[in-house]
Amino acid sequence: MKPVIKDNMVLKPFTVGWDPNDGIMDDPDNHVERFLSTLTNMFYDADAAERFLKEHGDVLLYEVYEKTIPQRDGEIQFCSSITHPGKIGAEYFMTKGHFHARRDTAEIYYCLRGKGYMLMELENGEYEIGELLPGKTVYVPGNYAHRSINVGDETLISLAVYPGDAGHDYGSIETSGFKHVVVEKNGKPEVIENPRYGRMKA
Amino acid sequence: MKPVIKDNMVLKPFTVGWDPNDGIMDDPDNHVERFLSTLTNMFYDADAAERFLKEHGDVLLYEVYEKTIPQRDGEIQFCSSITHPGKIGAEYFMTKGHFHARRDTAEIYYCLRGKGYMLMELENGEYEIGELLPGKTVYVPGNYAHRSINVGDETLISLAVYPGDAGHDYGSIETSGFKHVVVEKNGKPEVIENPRYGRMKA
């Protein structure tokens, strides 16, 4: 039985352990697993995603472990964000990405392991890349959609922390995608314009 | 020149590196250092603090490295919190501790190194201890004064994250102290009632 946390609940102090090497939380309230089969449309080369599925079967792209915290202003949400290594065509494995429902809320990512890019993009398409390397903190300001991208060979693990009432808004990411995608070119990550921007569900 | 961050400023994404082994941030906007000489009254055995100063000279009890983030709702503040090992009499080196000025705001501590206790205390004196060990996250709910205590032999290093508008309230800690203190007894940390509670400045 998972605890039922109501938004008007008063929380007591607690401690949760998790392994910095694999990101697995000892006693999570929630474990999200995102498999390729449900996210083929997320990659700009949807044909490559279908081919990948046929050749390799379904794979786990990323996972999140979290405790349930009331979704209200003043609280702090935190989770371990785990993105596995791999590529669909030239595009690296990544998280779906999202805006915050409350757009003016920030988030920080503290990288524990691996090598990644944090793609941050405003609604107008302006973007910034933050490098995720062990010991680095990326500050994602409000109004930026953000996505973790694993550009290395091992699992990318970060601690993500954001305001209690930030919420998630996946809507425009699912339909339009990010304007930019990160692909491997000559063995190195490179940011290119998303050829399918605006029609990810087309 | 340090950047001047105004509370109505729009921040751009940024990345900051810091060393998980010593907690030192590459390019902090602010480095706080707290020496014993300015905090002798913080320890319940003020005589022991004076003796320590005479015998060993001044020592650095704890440090904080931080970036300057606008102090507003929706932002995320973060810092590295570094508490050095040692004792004043039987009481371990610790941070001053504080309530948040906005009392209903939470905070999390992610421990990177060392061994510590997070003492969390309500105004009515009820307390909880969270263990700070590498990989553990302590969740400090709103309304709890909180203090990091180094109960180990090496430096205690945590990443602390809290809401943008939480603020700090040291007032009642400076005058009354915490109702509980953590001391070494038979080689182990133990929580006892503070003999000088309510008259730390007496």
Side-chain angles (χ1 to χ4, degrees), chain A residues 180-202:
Chain A
H180 300 88
V181 295
V182 180
V183 298
E184 187 180 85
K185 206 166 174 179
N186 304 320
K188 284 184 188 167
E190 189 172 307
V191 180
I192 63 167
E193 293 229 348
N194 180 359
R196 254 175 72 224
Y197 181 56
R199 49 188 185 88
M200 294 306 277
K201 279 199 162 165

Side-chain angles (χ1 to χ4, degrees), chain B residues 114-128:
Chain B
K115 187 180 172 188
Y117 274 17
M118 174 63 66
L119 173 62
M120 296 170 269
E121 205 175 82
L122 293 169
E123 284 193 66
N124 69 9
E126 279 177 45
Y127 79 98
E128 302 267 348

Side-chain angles (χ1 to χ4, degrees), chain A residues 11-20 26 69-70 72-78 102 104-108 110 112 120 122 126 128-132 134-142 144 159-163 165, chain B residues 11-20 26 69-70 72-78 102 104-108 110 112 120 122 126 128-132 134-142 144 159-163 165:
Chain A
L11 291 195
K12 297 288 285 177
F14 65 83
T15 304
V16 59
W18 47 293
D19 186 333
D26 289 344
I69 304 287
R72 65 184 169 216
D73 179 29
E75 292 293 348
I76 285 288
Q77 308 283 348
F78 66 97
R102 196 187 136 191
D104 66 344
T105 52
E107 181 158 350
I108 66 158
Y110 178 74
L112 288 153
M120 295 169 271
L122 293 169
E126 279 176 44
E128 302 268 347
I129 294 288
E131 252 196 319
L132 291 166
K136 288 211 180 217
T137 304
V138 175
Y139 167 87
V140 183
Y144 279 84
L159 167 65
V161 191
Y162 54 100
D165 61 340
Chain B
L11 292 194
K12 298 289 286 179
F14 66 83
T15 305
V16 58
W18 47 294
D19 187 333
D26 288 345
I69 305 287
R72 66 185 167 214
D73 179 29
E75 291 293 349
I76 285 288
Q77 308 283 348
F78 66 97
R102 195 187 137 190
D104 67 343
T105 51
E107 180 156 351
I108 67 159
Y110 177 74
L112 288 152
M120 296 170 269
L122 293 169
E126 279 177 45
E128 302 267 348
I129 295 289
E131 254 196 317
L132 291 166
K136 287 210 180 217
T137 305
V138 175
Y139 167 88
V140 183
Y144 280 84
L159 167 66
V161 191
Y162 54 100
D165 60 341

Side-chain angles (χ1 to χ4, degrees), chain B residues 96-111:
Chain B
K96 200 167 171 179
H98 59 268
F99 288 98
H100 287 163
R102 195 187 137 190
R103 292 301 171 102
D104 67 343
T105 51
E107 180 156 351
I108 67 159
Y109 283 75
Y110 177 74
C111 181

